[in-house]
Amino acid sequence: MVASAPTASTTDRYTRIATPVDDLILTGDGTALTGCYFVEHRHHGAPSDGLERDDDAFADAAAQLGEYFAGERTGFDLELAPTGTAFQQRVWMQLREIPYGATCSYADVARAIGAGNGFRAVGLANGRNPISIIVPCHRVIGADGSLTGYGGGMDRKRFLLDLEAGTLPFG
């Protein structure tokens, strides 16, 4: 089963915030964040279609993302409720264990969740992560250390990894 972008039945609010890598759409149900998408995201359509805009509902998430992009935050403290299969949920939980500034391979994630050689399935689940950046799918790279696909685009993946490595020129 392939996860899709949340619909109005599971997510009823959204906001749009500006970031150094493009605008992000945040979606939620009033209690938890259900999505964090780039406006042009490979695996998700327009996740705000049919939702009510509510900037106040996402003030904490927007503030934490602002701190992250300013280099002042290395982790997030937000209620999350991504929609996906049981396998996808396991992968996304494991992604949250990858430390800020670190990377690992798809095979590393597969082994960590007890999926043995399921690195391809991990790659598919990683690509369907509905909560970009906060659930750090950008930290997963190829076994040879190369950058591999990213739903938000390779330029954004490189930017996020450089941000976390402290190699971006600020100011």
Side-chain angles (χ1 to χ4, degrees):
M1 180 174 168
V2 175
S4 60
T7 63
S9 63
T10 59
T11 303
D12 58 7
R13 300 173 189 182
Y14 84 98
T15 193
R16 183 174 178 149
I17 63 169
T19 76
V21 290
D22 202 1
D23 287 0
L24 291 172
I25 302 289
L26 304 179
T27 60
D29 61 11
T31 303
L33 191 67
T34 58
C36 178
Y37 307 92
F38 292 102
V39 172
E40 293 182 20
H41 200 278
R42 181 183 325 152
H43 296 294
H44 301 285
S48 60
D49 286 353
L51 305 180
E52 176 185 335
R53 183 157 185 161
D54 182 354
D55 297 336
D56 293 336
F58 301 96
D60 194 29
Q64 288 187 36
L65 283 161
E67 293 165 357
Y68 168 82
F69 282 111
E72 301 166 354
R73 175 175 286 277
T74 61
F76 295 91
D77 182 21
L78 299 166
E79 184 74 28
L80 305 179
T83 299
T85 67
F87 182 79
Q88 289 170 331
Q89 296 286 341
R90 286 185 13 232
V91 169
W92 300 335
M93 288 297 294
Q94 185 60 38
L95 297 179
R96 296 177 69 190
E97 300 299 318
I98 304 169
Y100 179 92
T103 58
C104 68
S105 72
Y106 296 97
D108 293 334
V109 174
R111 282 190 295 276
I113 65 168
N117 291 325
F119 58 89
R120 286 186 182 91
V122 165
L124 292 172
N126 193 61
R128 297 291 181 173
N129 171 23
I131 306 180
S132 297
I133 303 169
I134 296 165
V135 176
C137 53
H138 61 277
R139 295 180 189 155
V140 183
I141 60 174
D144 63 359
S146 64
L147 293 190
T148 56
Y150 183 60
M154 295 302 288
D155 289 343
R156 291 182 183 126
K157 182 171 187 160
R158 169 55 42 210
F159 178 93
L160 295 170
L161 293 174
D162 288 348
L163 170 73
E164 292 183 11
T167 59
L168 287 179
F170 284 100

